[in-house]
Amino acid sequence: MSTVSNPVALWQQITQAGGVQAYITAQLKERGYLVERRDVDEMSDREKDRYKKELKQESAERKKLNKEAWAAYKTAHIVSLGDGVWWTDEKKDDKWDTPNSEERAAENELPALDSPKQLAEALGLTILQLRGLCYHRDAATKIHYTRFTIPKRDGTERPIWAPMEKLKAAQRWVLHHIVERLPVHGAAHGFLVGRSTATNAAAHADSRIVLKMDIEGFFPTITWRRVKGVFRRAGYREQISTLLALLCTESPREIVELEGKKYFVSLGVRCLPQGAPTSPALTNALCLRLDRRLTGLAAKMGWRYTRYADDLTFSLPASAPDSSPDALIKLVTKIAEGEGLKIKPEKTRLARSGRRQTVTGLVVNRDLPPRAPRKLRKQIRAAIHNLKKGKPLPEGESLARLQGYAAYIHMTDPKLGKKMLDALAAMPRVD
């Protein structure tokens, strides 16, 4: 295979030659196109014509070699990342680099990634493929995500953008080798090994007051520049942080058709997509300072605090002195705004001890372990009873869904949950 049809091998030759111009000069000389410059004043007209012809041939060959060299350059360099993304292939120190960045990355046991080439190799990609996964277009004819929707509790649809296989594999590598190793606060309970809705709820048992607040537009609020900041603070420099941030984000898009052609049109800045494996864990890393501030505020006012994704929960222990939830709400809202987030007022809920108190779907009243709501337990028991009697499931219900609820109950009540799961497993499939 010639070096022209193999740009990767050609770039290796160019590097060995000492750079593009050194390579081109050597090639011109080897191919007999390099013309020695002479004074035309001492030439005859015939010699001038021949000299001009030789210079023209050299120029044409130089142009051809430059074109081939540029194609080879792009196999080893990112060059550009599209609309609105600043990039330079020149490796240099940046004033925003984290001091002692290499030591910071080593402390977190993060892989050493000093160049786009190293990142591409770690992901099992070529530079061209890495650039393709990161490249941003405001109006794209194809993207690396598929879109579908799932129903929300309020009846509206939640759009999910799921990454295609090649991008998903890259995101999973970033998740397991980088994001999961970043420090998170003890108040975070979502998407972490050993933590769950149950551990989140357990922190609020036996409370005089349970206060629940919700962050508005959580994932869309986390823009790619904020994600880049997470990677920079972790110890990676500008180039690598930019690529990692672009791998983990995408613009919210609208699908439109123009003259029979489909376009995915950007509706705003790239942000964390709901559906990417990296998105939940990145929110935990990014909310480290928010969690610190809210934990400190809660402790100062006599409250407890946890966060599960975008759900903030505060509780006042039954044994604690009285404390104003109104004052807490105002201060939490102010802190969230200081962190670039917004509290959704209509989702703020307050439950005193005389009413049912739930946290991430589990009941936490009294000094007892969190448990599934009684209504749900009765619903599953009734469904199992009806199935045993040979009655059909209600419309929209399925055996798999019932098994999911039973597994949820098993999380906080293993004995009852196992009984339900065993009963459902013995049922013939009816859906």
Side-chain angles (χ1 to χ4, degrees):
M1 182 181 290
S2 69
T3 55
V4 175
S5 59
N6 187 352
V8 175
L10 176 56
W11 183 250
Q12 292 175 346
Q13 288 187 25
I14 291 172
T15 303
Q16 292 168 0
V20 172
Q21 293 311 313
Y23 168 80
I24 289 175
T25 300
Q27 287 296 307
L28 289 171
K29 186 175 182 180
E30 182 180 319
R31 301 178 189 187
Y33 286 102
L34 189 63
V35 180
E36 182 182 350
R37 270 44 179 180
R38 305 191 301 274
D39 187 355
V40 297
D41 292 339
E42 299 179 0
M43 294 182 187
S44 66
D45 290 343
R46 181 177 292 179
E47 288 173 328
K48 286 180 182 178
D49 288 342
R50 186 169 61 250
Y51 182 60
K52 288 179 182 178
K53 184 178 179 181
E54 289 171 349
L55 289 175
K56 190 174 181 179
Q57 290 174 332
E58 180 193 301
S59 178
E61 189 67 13
R62 186 182 294 275
K63 185 176 181 180
K64 177 184 173 185
L65 288 167
N66 263 311
K67 185 177 180 180
E68 293 172 359
W70 175 242
Y73 180 89
K74 289 192 290 186
T75 65
H77 299 81
I78 295 296
V79 182
S80 170
L81 289 171
D83 303 329
V85 182
W86 183 85
W87 178 265
T88 176
D89 282 308
E90 183 181 353
K91 186 178 178 181
K92 57 183 180 180
D93 290 337
D94 185 277
K95 67 177 181 179
W96 302 111
D97 284 336
T98 300
N100 304 316
S101 56
E102 287 79 7
E103 290 84 347
R104 175 79 65 89
E107 285 174 6
N108 292 326
E109 298 183 345
L110 303 183
L113 299 171
D114 296 323
S115 69
K117 182 182 178 183
Q118 276 187 305
L119 176 59
E121 289 174 349
L123 296 173
L125 302 171
T126 66
I127 287 289
L128 290 173
Q129 290 171 328
L130 177 60
R131 180 168 64 238
L133 292 179
C134 295
Y135 204 89
H136 177 78
R137 290 182 177 87
D138 287 333
T141 54
K142 61 180 181 178
I143 57 174
H144 300 286
Y145 289 83
T146 55
R147 183 184 185 276
F148 60 93
T149 61
I150 58 174
K152 295 167 67 174
R153 281 183 293 181
D154 61 7
T156 60
E157 296 289 321
R158 185 191 305 277
I160 303 294
W161 291 89
M164 294 182 182
E165 282 307 311
K166 185 169 286 187
L167 177 59
K168 184 187 289 186
Q171 289 176 342
R172 282 175 173 160
W173 188 93
V174 174
L175 173 66
H176 298 315
H177 291 84
I178 300 177
V179 182
E180 288 182 340
R181 300 181 184 185
L182 299 179
V184 299
H185 197 273
H189 286 263
F191 324 111
L192 293 166
V193 176
R195 302 187 195 180
S196 64
T197 55
T199 62
N200 184 58
H204 302 283
D206 196 23
S207 298
R208 180 186 301 184
I209 305 173
V210 171
L211 170 65
K212 297 188 289 186
M213 305 177 75
D214 188 83
I215 298 173
E216 185 173 348
F218 192 38
F219 281 14
T221 303
I222 312 301
T223 64
W224 79 272
R225 289 183 176 85
R226 296 183 71 177
V227 175
K228 182 168 76 168
V230 170
F231 291 119
R232 297 208 72 169
R233 288 192 297 275
Y236 290 119
R237 297 186 180 273
E238 169 71 20
Q239 285 182 323
I240 297 301
S241 296
T242 296
L243 293 169
L244 290 172
L246 292 173
L247 280 173
C248 297
T249 58
E250 179 55 271
S251 290
R253 293 183 182 269
E254 183 177 347
I255 303 173
V256 300
E257 284 198 16
L258 181 63
E259 297 178 351
K261 196 170 186 178
K262 184 186 290 185
Y263 291 89
F264 299 87
V265 180
S266 169
L267 300 178
V269 179
R270 291 175 76 102
C271 56
L272 293 180
Q274 293 200 13
T278 41
S279 292
L282 276 168
T283 63
N284 283 336
L286 191 131
C287 286
L288 176 61
R289 191 171 68 173
L290 172 73
D291 291 336
R292 282 174 177 164
R293 295 180 69 184
L294 292 182
T295 297
L297 171 68
K300 186 176 181 181
M301 298 182 69
W303 293 68
R304 299 172 292 198
Y305 162 73
T306 63
R307 181 181 57 81
Y308 192 96
D310 55 351
D311 294 328
L312 313 180
T313 304
F314 300 85
S315 62
L316 185 66
S319 59
D322 197 19
S323 178
S324 169
D326 293 337
L328 179 63
I329 290 170
K330 288 179 182 178
L331 290 171
V332 170
T333 301
K334 186 175 181 180
I335 288 174
E337 288 175 352
E339 295 296 323
L341 302 168
K342 184 180 179 182
I343 298 296
K344 201 171 186 177
E346 61 269 28
K347 294 288 287 285
T348 297
R349 297 286 186 270
L350 196 69
R352 299 185 181 275
S353 56
R355 297 171 52 195
R356 191 181 72 167
Q357 298 169 324
T358 61
V359 176
T360 43
L362 297 170
V363 178
V364 295
N365 293 78
R366 297 179 293 161
D367 189 14
L368 296 170
R371 56 262 183 217
R374 183 180 302 169
K375 182 179 178 181
L376 177 62
R377 300 197 300 269
K378 288 179 66 176
Q379 177 185 334
I380 305 305
R381 285 194 185 102
I384 292 172
H385 176 76
N386 288 335
L387 284 171
K388 286 180 178 178
K389 294 289 186 181
K391 296 181 180 179
L393 291 171
E395 186 177 350
E397 192 60 271
S398 68
L399 191 59
R401 185 181 172 91
L402 292 174
Q403 288 171 329
Y405 281 132
Y408 180 69
I409 293 169
H410 183 272
M411 180 175 61
T412 55
D413 190 340
K415 184 177 179 180
L416 175 59
K418 185 177 186 306
K419 184 178 178 181
M420 290 177 170
L421 286 169
D422 289 345
L424 289 168
M427 299 291 177
R429 296 206 64 86
V430 294
D431 54 321

